[in-house]
Amino acid sequence: MIIHVVSSGETLSGIARRYGSNVSQIAAANELPDPNRLTVGQALVVPIAARQHVVRSGETLWQIAQRYGVSLDALVRVNQLANPNMLKIGTVLVIPARIHTVQSGETLWQIAQRYGTTVQEIVKLNRIQNPNLIQTGAVLTIPFPKPVIDVNAYTINMGGTGAGEVREVGRHLTYASPFAYIMKADGTLGSINDTPIIQAAIERHVVPMMCITNFTAQNPGTTLAHTILSNPALQERMLTNIINIMNEKGYRLLNVDFENVRQTDRELYNQFLQRAVDRLHPLGYFVSTALAPKTSSEQKGLLYEAHDYEAHGRIVDFVVLMTYEWGYRLGPPQAISPLNQIRRVIEYAVTVIPRNKIMMGFQLYARDWLLPHVQGQEAETFDMQEAVRRALQYGAAIQYNERAQSPFFRYTDGQGRRHEVWFEDARSAQAKFDLVKEYGLRGISYWVLGYPFPQNWLLLEDNFIIRKM
């Protein structure tokens, strides 16, 4: 797929002609409410069988052609390069899809093996009705190679609402995790209406992941965490309750989210995780944890000190890095998930946690702050589609922070108040996917379902094969 950023005076029909697509395809892919209204800086996904490559220092066209398995001639022709030997750093090249003409006796399996892809990917891209009947001479578009990753998504909406969210994007998920069972000081757990969500997950071949936590919006959970972590008998009781719920409801994994834990309880937390693994592994269950976004083992603060990256990486099956919330709802306006900050967290994490155990967090919501910001004043939280609607409504040009790899804009509302909005778009999503590929991570964990972001799911599928258990 191609990501196109709208310039002044551009129309959807002109963009469609440029890439050999059509207006209806682009409008549908981006779920545009009005195809006749675009705003400067708006990023659009163009659903064609091509990719983009940003030229880096020292790269040659030959190296880029080799990387993507395409010919030099094709790159020169598609990008209308006057001088292929003079590539500027930062130039965005369109990488055309590879084409294969079916030879006599060839099977889709053989073709998939030749190009490092799968039969399913070829069938889907070429809309083949019967994979066992391919004609000699048929011209097939070959998918770009994709790594296989795990994808998790948390949902905070219970019952039918949460179930609907899982059904809607279930084909893109490996795990679904209703958030959350609240721990109690006696080792029991609060109840949640998660049965419809689990049923929806199973229908979509998604593995239900049970999540437990010690905190609520009203209570940081520090004292509760100490009470549980300092008492082995309480832990055993809680683990027995967890196992009973997993058995009864069909959960296959446990996600442990102890937050705001005292530094003095750090080793006790590690011991609890080992106890959980020792209880759950023999039953065929897996254990994961949610970790605050640290950049070193010595990072100070209640959110970080008890989260021992090295120990979690050794003990549990995988971890979810909560790489979001720099743009906190009660803090000043800034990118919610800035790529430069996420990179710092991952650079540290991979030194102490195996890469195939790391899930990178990705937020699915936008925020709108009033200006000037007053400390403690809460930003409004909504979905990416609403962010674009507001930019259109108020005639705001969307800007892009290259360091954070995040879009933002400012506008004045009908009451004369100034606002600043930070959100995600196709560019920032692609940048995060590229980071996952660069570091060879296990996958991505979304916080949280319920906020429409159609570009994300299209690009996720374009970049990765989602593992199904």
Side-chain angles (χ1 to χ4, degrees), residues 428-462:
S428 62
Q430 185 61 55
K432 290 177 173 61
F433 297 153
D434 288 343
L435 199 63
V436 170
K437 288 186 278 190
E438 177 184 344
Y439 284 93
L441 305 183
R442 182 188 186 98
I444 295 165
S445 179
Y446 287 104
W447 179 268
V448 56
L449 294 183
Y451 296 95
F453 186 13
Q455 292 179 337
N456 165 77
W457 304 108
L458 282 173
L459 289 168
L460 180 72
E461 188 171 321
D462 191 52

Side-chain angles (χ1 to χ4, degrees), residues 190-254:
S191 60
I192 58 175
N193 182 18
D194 54 353
T195 299
I197 299 171
I198 295 168
Q199 291 172 345
I202 292 170
E203 288 171 16
R204 293 291 190 266
H205 306 288
V206 176
V207 180
M209 181 162 66
M210 179 181 178
C211 184
I212 61 170
T213 191
N214 64 312
F215 82 98
T216 65
Q218 295 76 36
N219 190 327
T222 303
T223 301
L224 176 61
H226 176 74
T227 298
I228 294 170
L229 294 176
S230 61
N231 189 324
L234 271 181
Q235 294 172 42
E236 291 292 347
R237 185 183 307 160
M238 187 168 73
L239 287 168
T240 297
N241 287 325
I242 288 167
I243 291 167
N244 289 340
I245 292 170
M246 294 179 79
N247 285 335
E248 175 191 349
K249 295 196 172 185
Y251 282 112
R252 302 307 305 164
L253 301 94
L254 175 67

